[in-house]
C-alpha cells in the first residue's frame, strides 16, 4: 500500500524520521512541498493533492486513486504547519544590547529595501513566536528547533544543535547546552524562550522548526519549516560565562558601545589626537567582520569560531593584506598612486565597505589605520577593544638581545654612522581586547586586556603577519613565553637603548651608554567616558589630561622605570629570550663596556612650533668631572625622517671644532632651521630627528644624544549647533586656513560619522587649491543617523589631505535632544 511519510515510529523514540528537502526548495519551505522522504522498498512514486509525494511498495495496489484518497485525507486534516516566525527583533535586540546595529531596523541601501535582522549575543535567552495554521495541541504535538552555523550541517556539539522544546513552561536552562521552552500559548501561536550557550561560535546561524503530529496508534507525521533569514550570534560581554565578559561599565561603554573615538599620534613631547569614526554599528560592518572570520577559518564551520583568543588572532591577521589578501594593504613608501594616502582616512567604514565590494585589499594603510579597522571589527563582533598608542616604540631586529642597539662606526669619509637595523618609531598604534584566558592558566592571572596588532611589522611564530593575543599582565611581569609574540611586544615597550662605538684600533664594539627609560613612553588610550572625542587635538606630556582626553596606561605594561622591580623584570625577560633564541655566547666576545664617561650631550627645543615656521634648539656639552676635557669635534645634524624611523634627508648640519669644556662647566650652541627648510618635506609629516655627536680628543669613543621633534599642524574648524532633534536637518560650517607660503594643491576632503548628507556624494570630494594664507570654507547640510533613543550624541570626523600638507582633521559632536523628532 501507499506510505505517507512517518511510518510506525513510536512517539517515545529518540530517532524520528527526517524530511530531506529537494534541491529546488524555496525558503521558507515545508515538508509537503515536493519533499523527498526516505522510504524503504519503494517501486513506484505518485503525486497526490498539494504535491504530496507518495510511495508505493509494490504492485499490489491497483486502485491508485483510492489509495491516494485514503492517505491524503487524514494527512490534510492533521497537518501542523508553521506559517511564519516572529523573531521579536526590537525586544530581543534591546535585551541583548544590539539595537544600535543599523541592520536591526528596516532600511534602504543603494535603492534596495532591507528588512530588520536579528542580532543576538550568546549566553543569553531570546524569544520567538511560532505561528501555525491551526491551534497547537500540546498532548498530541511536539516541536524541535534545529540551529546550524552557516556552512555546517553535520551533527556537532558547537556548530549545530537540535532542541526539543520543553512544553512545561520551565525556563531555567542548563548554561552548558541549548534549550527552548514554551512561555506563552495563544490561539494559533506559541511563544518560546530559547537559550544559546556562551561557548558557541559567533556567526550567522540558520534555523528550522520541525512540528511533529501524533495521528494514530503512536504514528508520527513530521513537517519542517525553514526560516528564510539567518540569525547573527556574537560575543556577549554582559554574560559571565563568556570569555569576553567585562564587568566595568565605563569600559563597556568606551570599548564596545562607542562608535567614534580618537587615535593618538606624534611624539612624547608633542602628542596629537586623531579623531576616528569606528562605525561598528553601521550597515554592512557586522557582515564584513563575520566574513573575515569565515575567511580566516577557510570558509568551514569550526568550533574555534567561538574561541575569543583564536578569533582575535585571526582578525589581526586578516586586517592586513600580505598573507591572505586581507582588508588593508600597507604602504610606507610615501608614494600612494593608485590608492588613498593613509593620512586621508578618518574612519573604518569606507575601508570595510570597499573591501567587501571589491574583494581586494584597500590601498593604503599604516599602523593607525590597521588599528582603527581592527577596533571596528572587534567591537562589531562583541569583543571589547581599545586602541593603544606607544610613543618611542621599539622595533627590534636582533635575534640575540631584547635591546635597541645604536652602533656608531666611521665610514669611508670619516663620518660617524649608525649601522644598526633596529629602529624606534615615534609612535605605534596597536589594539587590546578584553577577555579571560583559561587557555593560558587555570587561574585568572592572565585575564584582562590582551595585545593584538594588525600592522605587518614582523612575521609571528607561524610565519604569518599577525601579533598576539598576549596578556598585558604577562608583558609587565616579563613572562614573554606566555601568549603569542610576547618577546616582540615586550621589546616595543621596555627595551633598553644601548649605544655602541666601534674602536678603530681593536675593532671591538664598546658600550658607551645604556638608556633604560627611552622606550615605551606616554602609552595612551582614550579615557573611558563613553562618549565621542571632544578634546583638543594637540598637547604635550605636561598638559592637563582632559585637554586630550588621554589616559596613560604605561604602568599597566611595566613597573616604574629604573625601579628594582622593573630592572628585575627586564633581566628575567632577557634571559628567557636568550634561551628561546639559542643564545650564542660568541656575541659578547667582541663587545665590552667603556669606562664611565664624564662628558654628556643635551638637547633642548622649543614647544608647539606650527607648520609654516622655522624652529631652533640648543645643544649643550656638559662636563660632570673635575678635569677639563677637549671636544675634538661636535657634529649636529637635523634629519628629515618618518615617524617609523626612516631618514629621508638632512635639513641642516653644524660642526663645531676643537673646544674645551672645564670641569663642572658646560658649553652651549643655538641651532636654527629656517622656515623654507622646515617645510621642504611635508610627505614625512614634518617629523625631524636632531642628533648631536661629540668626538673627544682623549678617548676612542663618541658621546651622542638624539631628540625627535615634530611641527604642529593647524586644525580644521567645524561650527554647528550644540544640540538638535533626532531627525533635524542642520548646517555645519567648515573652515581651514593655509599656514604655508605656498598654495595647497590636490586637496581632498573625506568625511565619516553619524550623519547622513542631504546632498549626495558629500562624504568625499575634491576642493580647489587654497592659496598662501587663504581660508577654505564649506557648508555641510546633514541629518543625524537614526539610532535608539538612548544614543544621545552623534559625531563627525573630517580629514583634509593636500600635496603640501597632509593629516589635517577636524571633529564635531552634537547632543541629541531626547523625546523630540
Amino acid at each position: 500500500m501507499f506510505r505517507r511519510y512517518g511510518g510506525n515510529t513510536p512517539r517515545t523514540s529518540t530517532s524520528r524520521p527526517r524530511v530531506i528537502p529537494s534541491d529546488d526548495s524555496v525558503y521558507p519551505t515545508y515538508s509537503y512541498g515536493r519533499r523527498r522522504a526516505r522510504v524503504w522498498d519503494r517501486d513506484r512514486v505518485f503525486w497526490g493533492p498539494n504535491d504530496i509525494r507518495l510511495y508505493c511498495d509494490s504492485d499490489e495496489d491497483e486502485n491508485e486513486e483510492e489509495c491516494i484518497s485514503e492517505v491524503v485525507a487524514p494527512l490534510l486534516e492533521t497537518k501542523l504547519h508553521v506559517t511564519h516566525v516572529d523573531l521579536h527583533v526590537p525586544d530581543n535586540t534591546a535585551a541583548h544590547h544590539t539595537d544600535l546595529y543599523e541592520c536591526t531596523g528596516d532600511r534602504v541601501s543603494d535603492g534596495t529595501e532591507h528588512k530588520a535582522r536579528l542580532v543576538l549575543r550568546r549566553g543569553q535567552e531570546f524569544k520567538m513566536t511560532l505561528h501555525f495554521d491551526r491551534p497547537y495541541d500540546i498532548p498530541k504535538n511536539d516541536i524541535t528547533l534545529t540551529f546550524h552555523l552557516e556552512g555546517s550541517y553535520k551533527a556537532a556539539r558547537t556548530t549545530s544543535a537540535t532542541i526539543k522544546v520543553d512544553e512545561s513552561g520551565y525556563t531555567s536552562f542548563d548554561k552548558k547546552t541549548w534549550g527552548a521552552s514554551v512561555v506563552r500559548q495563544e490561539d494559533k501561536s506559541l511563544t518560546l524562550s530559547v537559550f544559546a550557550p556562551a561557548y558557541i561560535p559567533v556567526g550567522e546561524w540558520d534555523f528550522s522548526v520541525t512540528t511533529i503530529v501524533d495521528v494514530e496508534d503512536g504514528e508520527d507525521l513530521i513537517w519542517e519549516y525553514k526560516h528564510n533569514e539567518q540569525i547573527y550570534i556574537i560575543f556577549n560581554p554582559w554574560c559571565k560565562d563568556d570569555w569576553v565578559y567585562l564587568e566595568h561599565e565605563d569600559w563597556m561603554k568606551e570599548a564596545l558601545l562607542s562608535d567614534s573615538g580618537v587615535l593618538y599620534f606624534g611624539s612624547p613631547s608633542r602628542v596629537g589626537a586623531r579623531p576616528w569614526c569606528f562605525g561598528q554599528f553601521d550597515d554592512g560592518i557586522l557582515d564584513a567582520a563575520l566574513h573575515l572570520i569565515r575567511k580566516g577559518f577557510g570558509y568551514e564551520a569550526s568550533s574555534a569560531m567561538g574561541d575569543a583568543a583564536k578569533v582575535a588572532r585571526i582578525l589581526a591577521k586578516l586586517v592586513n593584506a600580505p598573507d591572505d589578501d586581507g582588508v588593508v594593504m600597507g604602504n610606507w613608501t610615501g608614494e600612494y598612486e593608485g590608492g588613498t594616502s593613509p593620512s586621508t582616512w578618518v574612519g573604518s567604514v569606507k575601508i570595510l565597505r570597499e573591501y567587501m565590494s571589491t574583494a581586494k585589499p584597500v590601498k593604503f594603510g599604516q599602523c593607525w589605520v590597521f588599528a582603527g579597522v581592527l577596533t571596528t571589527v572587534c567591537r562589531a563582533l562583541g569583543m571589547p577593544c581599545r586602541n593603544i598608542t606607544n610613543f618611542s616604540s621599539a622595533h627590534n631586529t636582533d635575534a640575540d638581545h631584547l635591546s635597541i642597539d645604536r652602533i656608531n662606526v666611521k665610514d669611508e669619509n670619516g663620518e660617524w654612522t649608525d649601522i644598526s637595523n633596529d629602529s624606534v618609531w615615534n609612535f605605534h598604534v596597536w589594539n587590546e581586547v578584553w577577555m579571560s584566558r583559561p587557555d593560558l592558566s587555570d587561574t585568572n592571572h592572565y585575564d584582562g586586556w590582551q595585545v593584538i596588532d594588525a600592522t605587518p611589522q614582523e612575521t609571528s611564530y607561524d610565519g604569518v603577519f599577525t601579533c598576539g593575543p598576549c596578556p598585558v599582565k604577562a608583558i609587565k611581569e616579563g613572562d614573554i613565553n606566555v601568549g603569542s609574540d610576547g618577546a616582540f611586544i615586550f621589546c616595543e615597550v621596555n627595551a633598553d637603548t644601548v649605544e655602541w662605538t666601534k674602536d678603530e684600533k681593536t675593532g671591538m664594539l664598546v658600550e658607551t651608554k645604556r638608556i633604560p627609560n627611552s622606550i615605551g613612553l606616554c602609552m595612551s588610550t582614550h579615557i573611558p567616558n563613553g562618549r565621542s572625542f571632544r578634546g583638543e587635538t594637540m598637547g604635550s606630556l605636561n598638559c592637563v589630561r582632559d585637554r586630550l582626553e588621554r589616559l596613560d596606561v604605561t604602568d599597566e605594561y611595566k613597573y616604574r622605570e629604573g625601579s628594582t622591580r622593573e630592572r628585575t623584570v627586564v633581566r628575567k625577560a632577557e634571559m628567557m629570550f636568550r634561551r628561546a633564541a639559542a643564545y650564542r655566547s660568541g656575541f659578547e666576545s667582541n663587545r665590552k663596556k667603556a669606562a664611565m664617561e664624564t662628558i654628556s650631550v643635551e638637547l633642548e627645543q622649543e614647544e608647539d612650533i606650527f607648520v609654516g615656521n622655522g624652529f631652533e634648539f640648543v645643544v649643550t656639552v656638559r662636563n660632570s668631572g673635575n678635569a677639563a676635557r677637549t671636544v675634538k669635534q661636535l657634529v649636529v645634524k637635523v634629519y628629515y625622517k618618518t615617524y617609523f624611523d626612516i631618514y629621508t634627508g638632512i635639513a641642516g648640519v653644524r660642526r663645531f671644532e676643537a673646544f674645551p669644556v672645564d670641569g663642572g662647566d658646560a658649553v652651549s650652541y643655538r641651532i636654527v632651521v629656517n622656515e623654507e627648510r622646515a617645510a621642504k618635506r611635508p610627505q614625512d609629516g614634518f617629523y625631524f630627528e636632531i642628533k648631536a655627536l661629540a668626538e673627544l680628543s682623549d678617548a676612542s669613543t663618541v658621546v651622542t644624544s638624539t631628540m625627535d621633534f615634530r611641527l604642529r599642524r593647524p586644525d580644521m574648524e567645524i561650527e554647528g549647533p550644540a544640540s538638535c532633534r533626532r531627525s533635524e536637518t542642520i548646517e555645519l560650517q567648515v573652515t581651514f586656513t593655509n599656514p604655508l607660503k605656498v598654495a595647497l594643491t590636490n586637496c581632498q576632503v573625506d568625511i565619516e560619522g553619524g550623519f547622513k548628507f542631504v546632498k549626495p556624494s558629500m562624504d568625499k570630494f575634491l576642493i580647489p587649491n587654497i592659496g598662501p594664507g587663504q581660508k577654505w570654507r564649506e557648508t555641510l547640510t546633514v541629518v543625524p543617523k537614526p539610532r535608539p533613543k538612548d544614543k544621545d550624541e552623534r559625531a563627525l570626523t573630517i580629514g583634509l589631505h593636500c600635496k603640501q600638507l597632509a593629516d589635517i582633521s577636524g571633529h564635531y559632536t552634537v547632543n541629541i535632544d531626547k523625546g523630540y523628532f
Side-chain angles (χ1 to χ4, degrees), residues 701-738:
T701 58
V702 295
V703 180
T704 65
S705 181
T706 60
M707 178 177 64
D708 290 324
F709 178 74
R710 183 174 73 90
L711 295 179
R712 178 175 175 177
R713 283 158 288 197
D715 296 330
M716 189 182 303
E717 297 181 3
I718 307 175
E719 295 182 355
S723 62
C724 70
R725 296 186 300 275
R726 294 172 61 83
S727 57
E728 181 182 357
T729 300
I730 60 175
E731 289 189 348
L732 307 180
Q733 303 299 324
V734 184
T735 59
F736 176 74
T737 302
N738 179 5

Side-chain angles (χ1 to χ4, degrees), residues 40-92:
W40 291 268
D41 302 322
R42 63 180 182 266
D43 299 317
R44 302 166 63 188
V45 178
F46 297 94
W47 292 102
N50 294 319
D51 281 343
I52 296 174
R53 186 176 293 183
L54 304 173
Y55 300 91
C56 180
D57 290 336
S58 67
D59 294 329
E60 312 177 344
D61 302 301
E62 298 179 356
N63 191 337
E64 295 176 5
E65 292 185 5
E66 180 180 342
C67 292
I68 291 174
S69 177
E70 175 188 347
V71 172
V72 171
L75 188 150
L76 293 178
E77 292 175 1
T78 58
K79 66 182 176 68
L80 180 62
H81 291 168
V82 176
T83 59
H84 66 282
V85 176
D86 182 358
L87 292 177
H88 299 281
V89 173
D91 293 339
N92 282 324

Side-chain angles (χ1 to χ4, degrees), residues 785-806:
K785 289 182 179 178
R787 286 287 194 271
K789 293 182 179 180
D790 58 350
K791 182 67 175 176
D792 59 357
E793 67 176 17
R794 302 289 186 276
L796 188 77
T797 301
I798 304 180
L800 173 63
H801 180 87
C802 307
K803 181 179 180 180
Q804 298 77 13
L805 189 62

Side-chain angles (χ1 to χ4, degrees), residues 562-614:
S563 66
T564 301
R565 186 68 180 273
E566 186 264 345
R567 290 289 87 194
T568 300
V569 166
V570 171
R571 287 192 293 270
K572 169 186 173 182
E574 181 76 21
M575 292 305 297
M576 292 178 67
F577 185 71
R578 292 184 184 187
R579 288 196 298 268
Y583 173 68
R584 300 186 301 272
S585 59
F587 178 79
E588 294 289 352
S589 63
N590 67 335
R591 300 190 177 199
K592 67 177 183 178
K593 289 187 178 181
M596 182 67 68
E597 182 56 71
T598 60
I599 293 291
S600 62
V601 180
E602 302 169 0
L603 293 166
E604 184 181 357
Q605 66 185 40
E606 299 179 59
E607 291 192 2
D608 277 353
I609 305 300
F610 278 84
V611 168
N613 298 287

Side-chain angles (χ1 to χ4, degrees), residues 119-166:
V119 181
L120 302 172
R121 299 188 187 275
R122 64 185 193 175
Q124 189 171 339
E125 299 174 34
F126 62 98
K127 65 180 180 179
M128 65 169 64
T129 297
L130 309 180
H131 294 268
F132 305 100
D133 58 350
R134 66 167 176 82
Y136 184 86
D137 188 345
I138 288 181
K140 293 185 177 181
N141 304 150
D142 281 336
I143 304 173
T144 60
L145 304 178
T146 301
F147 290 86
H148 291 286
L149 180 64
E150 183 183 28
S152 171
Y153 294 95
K154 299 179 182 178
R157 177 174 176 268
T158 56
T159 60
S160 65
T162 298
I163 317 160
K164 185 179 185 302
V165 176
D166 185 339

Side-chain angles (χ1 to χ4, degrees), residues 537-551:
T537 58
M538 182 59 60
S540 59
L541 278 177
N542 58 2
C543 72
V544 178
R545 185 185 71 172
D546 287 345
R547 287 177 54 193
L548 291 170
E549 298 185 1
R550 185 186 69 86
L551 175 66

